[in-house]
Amino acid sequence: MTRPIVDLRSDTVTRPTPAMRRAMAEAEVGDDVYREDPTVNRLEARAAEIFEREAALFVPSGTMGNQAAIKVHTDPGQEVICEQRAHIFNHEMGMMAAFAGVLPRTVLAEDGILTWDLIASQVRARSDHRSRTGLVELENTSNLAGGSVYPLQVSDEICDRAHEAGLPVHLDGARIFNAGVALDRSVVDLTRKFDSVMFCLSKGLGAPVGSMLAGSKAFIEEARLVRKMLGGGMRQAGVLAAAGLVALEESPKRLRVDHENARFLAERLAEMPGIKIEPGKVVTNILFLEVSGTGLTSFELSKRLASQGVLANGVTAANMRMVTHYDVDRAGCERALQVMRGVVGAPQKAVFA
Ligand code: TLP
């Protein structure tokens, strides 16, 4: 009998739940470019309500949401201050330069968590010689820093001080509901001071497609135009929005399970030969392992795990990422650990065979 795959590559791999599929089949639809899709309209209104914002916009992906926000907030030639591991800088295909014509000014921060002190020294005012700062961007949770979470007073202070300096602040909140669960705070508390917020329906919340951008009415009207420029006017998108509505109502309350599973994995991986991880730092659903002590690169390790039905991606040669989500239960985690033990515990001869 073949065993089911344990897919720890990302929480993007979640498939729609039966409730989502039912809602999709029954969705009322219309043409969303004419603003006539009732299900999209409901999703946008509900997202705005949950985040206590004037308006929200359904976009096909987190990348489009972030890039539309950058385009609306900035002018060409300006700089965007973000953490060195930010998704907008590393994983959005250079789009801030290609589309908005802006430069990233990156700052390395411990655990991916910027502070106002780190940002302040990078802010460039109007000058005859230098490009000017147009935007500050934070990511919560910070994906490439291992799902770390901004303490509320730190992100609040950044927003307050950036605003005093005349700068807008955008939040890449792809996993903001995970941050909310980790801090036991509402997403409103975590996001109220940001000028705009992007969050994903298609990650831990489990919807098949889509992200939301939330902000003021004026901001969202501009972002709607940018979405259209990017080819993101989706017509009868109610079939997707229907799954998003289910995700928004049902999924946040179960993210705690993903966090417990991530900590469960981290604690046991930490005991394996050649693997380094600090379980105490695993506070949401993402874990990074340092694997060089195993004698394998993360890419080789990844191949060996895959051959036994466990999927996890190498990020750098020394680092591997695992992400827990709705489609991986505790038994799946146990199976992943068992396979990992078999691979890293194998004698060197077999390892390099
Ligand atoms: N992240 C993906 C990959 O692109 C790395 C993943 O598997 O984690 N912001 C953050 C913080 C993200 O992690 C992602 C996706 C996005 C934005 C973009 O979302 P999509 O994939 O919907 O464009």
Side-chain angles (χ1 to χ4, degrees), residues 64-218:
M64 192 184 289
N66 281 335
Q67 294 301 328
I70 292 170
K71 176 80 174 162
V72 174
H73 285 305
T74 60
D75 291 322
Q78 291 188 328
E79 294 187 350
V80 175
I81 297 178
C82 60
E83 209 274 332
Q84 194 166 305
R85 285 159 283 183
H87 195 277
I88 56 163
F89 172 53
N90 292 285
H91 287 284
E92 299 189 5
M93 313 300 289
M95 188 63 163
M96 74 164 91
F99 182 55
V102 293
L103 300 164
R105 175 142 312 257
T106 63
V107 186
L108 183 62
E110 197 180 338
D111 295 326
I113 303 300
L114 289 168
T115 59
W116 176 252
D117 282 349
L118 288 170
I119 292 170
S121 60
Q122 303 300 324
V123 172
R124 292 166 157 227
R126 190 187 177 89
S127 143
D128 285 342
H129 303 286
R130 309 197 308 182
S131 58
R132 188 174 177 177
T133 306
L135 178 68
V136 174
E137 189 263 4
L138 307 186
E139 186 176 308
N140 197 13
T141 68
S142 172
N143 179 352
L144 291 186
S148 55
V149 174
Y150 270 86
L152 185 52
Q153 64 279 19
V154 174
S155 53
D156 275 359
E157 190 195 7
I158 291 172
C159 292
D160 286 342
R161 303 292 295 275
H163 291 153
E164 282 162 28
L167 294 171
V169 191
H170 171 68
L171 177 67
D172 176 347
R175 297 184 178 83
I176 195 64
F177 284 95
N178 295 84
V181 166
L183 294 177
D184 202 15
R185 301 295 293 250
S186 73
V187 289
V188 178
D189 285 348
L190 268 51
T191 61
R192 74 171 86 244
K193 287 181 184 269
F194 289 85
D195 298 85
S196 53
V197 179
M198 185 286 290
F199 70 93
C200 294
L201 299 164
S202 62
K203 301 204 165 53
L205 302 190
V209 178
S211 295
M212 306 299 302
L213 197 52
S216 69
K217 201 161 183 297

Side-chain angles (χ1 to χ4, degrees), residues 265-277:
L265 282 173
E267 282 165 359
R268 281 147 193 84
L269 287 163
E271 291 164 359
M272 294 188 196
I275 291 186
K276 277 197 217 150
I277 178 166

